[in-house]
Amino acid sequence: LEGGCARGDLRARIGGRDRGRVVGAVFQVARRRVASVAAEGPISQRIRKPSVPEGRRYLVRVRAELRDGRLFTLDRRLKACR
């Protein structure tokens, strides 16, 4: 997830040195669960444009589970644009 101004649909990708160890992820926008993925390896998910009023900030959260059972929470605050 990259911060800034979100104009349309979002593309959330899990990166970093442990990205190959991810076995699943849950994606949330403004505290609502919008997608979940159960797959090994790098995960990328398209998230439909949230219905957030223009100019408002909202939270995108990804909770990723690794093969060894560890859980990671990745948060980004984005601003809704036109």
Side-chain angles (χ1 to χ4, degrees), residues 15 20 31 78:
R31 297 185 179 151
L78 299 176

Side-chain angles (χ1 to χ4, degrees), residues 56-75:
R56 297 288 301 259
R57 293 196 174 275
Y58 60 94
L59 180 70
V60 177
R61 172 172 283 166
V62 179
R63 292 180 188 226
E65 181 180 358
L66 301 183
R67 260 184 260 151
D68 62 7
R70 290 183 292 161
L71 295 173
F72 286 94
T73 301
L74 311 163
D75 291 338

Side-chain angles (χ1 to χ4, degrees), residues 19-50:
R19 70 182 173 271
R21 297 179 183 146
V22 175
V23 295
V26 175
F27 298 84
Q28 297 176 324
V29 174
R31 297 185 179 151
R32 285 188 20 214
R33 181 178 173 160
V34 295
S36 62
V37 176
E40 294 226 8
I43 292 180
S44 178
Q45 180 69 35
R46 181 178 162 264
I47 300 171
R48 289 184 52 203
K49 180 181 177 182

